[in-house]
Amino acid sequence: MAVSDSQIRLNASAPVPERRNPTLEALMEAAREPWTIICSLILLGFLAMAALAPLLAGDPLAINPALRLRPPSFEAFWGTDHLGRDVFARAMNGARMSLTVGVSVAILSAIPGVAIGIFAGMNRLGGALVMRVIDAMMAIPAVLLAIALAALLQPGLTTLIIAISIPEIPRMVRLVRSVVLSVREQPYVDAAVSVGTGGLKLVTKHILPNTIAPVIVQATYAAASAIIASAVLSFLGVGTPPDIPSWGGMMADARKFFQFYPMLMVYPGALLSLLVLVTNVLGDRLSDALDPRKMARSI
């Protein structure tokens, strides 16, 4: 049957369906969930607390023995500690330190973790040697390794970030390697190899894009773990120096006065727990949204 010119023009003018990005659609769907919205708002509150700390709070290092262990007042919203320092100001600056450590560790563990994981997944012999080193690193408890590194290096925020990042890298390597080994068995990768695609192009076009989603999820868990580790190290006295306010350091200073002034420990402990909670919840939401089986059903 002949096709008229009008039908040809109608078909030509028909809109071409846009290619959907399943990862972007999954993230948009997760962003509309109530728990995601609530946790995101709380996290934005912590970010605002960290950014506005110099404007909304006083000097966290100012010592005034005449005002030691005072109850909450207009001058000090959460009272003062045993040295007369403003607890509210120290807590706000502690949020800045915790967020800095969390974000930095997530990035510093993801970049080498992805590179080493892809190498280990693409190179069988070299990957086997790399994984033995990774297994040896994971045999050492992360907190003990971080304490050893923090004790060997010069104390400071940079040292703390490095000490926490190194134990997180093996987890990222194992995750990325498992994803690469799975992707290598897919038919489209075999087809790309059969037409001569290899090396860097194969990695950047087919391997690396498939690692982005799990790396994002693991990075959120690494950030939460880093926030806890930084508080633990500061509580033990091997984290940040005294001139950098931290929630762990605040809880360590409040131990002696907990029986009479429990809020000195409750304030930083509650902030630490809330920040880690919302970070883990967001990680769980991302994990559910970026589940490959769920994304495959939505395509």
Side-chain angles (χ1 to χ4, degrees):
M1 183 175 63
V3 180
S4 63
D5 293 341
S6 60
Q7 289 177 321
I8 295 176
R9 287 194 298 270
L10 181 62
N11 293 334
S13 60
V16 178
E18 297 181 358
R19 295 184 60 185
R20 298 186 301 171
N21 187 327
T23 302
L24 181 59
E25 289 191 354
L27 292 175
M28 293 296 292
E29 181 181 354
R32 292 190 289 267
E33 296 181 358
W35 278 112
T36 304
I37 296 174
I38 294 173
C39 292
S40 299
L41 291 176
I42 295 175
L43 185 58
L44 288 176
F46 276 105
L47 292 173
M49 181 188 298
L52 301 177
L55 301 177
L56 300 181
D59 185 1
L61 302 178
I63 297 176
N64 189 347
L67 300 177
R68 61 190 303 268
L69 299 175
R70 291 293 181 89
S73 62
F74 288 105
E75 291 77 15
F77 296 133
W78 289 355
T80 59
D81 63 5
H82 64 293
L83 296 178
R85 296 173 297 190
D86 189 341
V87 175
F88 180 71
R90 291 180 63 78
M92 291 192 70
N93 283 270
R96 171 180 294 185
M97 193 281 294
S98 295
L99 289 171
T100 300
V101 171
V103 174
S104 300
V105 170
I107 295 174
L108 293 178
S109 62
I111 294 176
V114 170
I116 298 173
I118 290 178
F119 170 80
M122 297 296 294
N123 190 313
R124 296 187 181 276
L125 179 59
L129 297 176
V130 168
M131 294 312 298
R132 300 295 74 79
V133 176
I134 295 299
D135 292 339
M137 292 181 63
M138 295 193 70
I140 305 174
V143 174
L144 292 181
L145 181 58
I147 290 175
L149 292 173
L152 291 174
L153 302 176
Q154 184 178 1
L157 183 59
T158 302
T159 299
L160 181 65
I161 293 174
I162 294 174
I164 300 175
S165 298
I166 292 177
E168 291 292 336
I169 293 176
R171 298 187 179 93
M172 189 69 71
V173 171
R174 291 175 67 92
L175 172 67
V176 174
R177 178 177 178 269
S178 64
V179 173
V180 172
L181 292 177
S182 176
V183 172
R184 283 183 55 183
E185 303 300 326
Q186 299 300 319
Y188 61 86
V189 176
D190 293 335
V193 174
S194 65
V195 297
T197 304
L200 184 60
K201 186 176 181 180
L202 179 65
V203 170
T204 56
K205 188 175 181 181
H206 298 287
I207 303 297
L208 186 59
N210 287 280
T211 66
I212 294 177
V215 165
I216 292 175
V217 175
Q218 179 61 28
T220 60
Y221 294 135
S225 177
I227 292 171
I228 294 177
S230 65
V232 170
L233 293 176
S234 297
F235 186 85
L236 296 176
V238 293
T240 55
D243 60 336
I244 300 178
S246 65
W247 292 337
M250 292 177 64
M251 289 188 285
D253 293 338
R255 284 179 298 177
K256 301 177 183 178
F257 311 97
F258 180 74
Q259 184 175 358
F260 305 102
Y261 301 93
M263 299 308 294
L264 293 178
M265 184 174 288
V266 170
Y267 287 136
L271 292 175
L272 174 64
S273 301
L274 182 59
L275 179 57
V276 173
L277 175 62
V278 298
T279 304
N280 280 327
V281 171
L282 288 176
D284 289 337
R285 295 294 88 201
L286 287 174
S287 179
D288 293 340
L290 299 176
D291 187 351
R293 292 169 295 182
K294 180 179 179 180
M295 293 172 61
R297 291 193 298 266
S298 65
I299 297 177

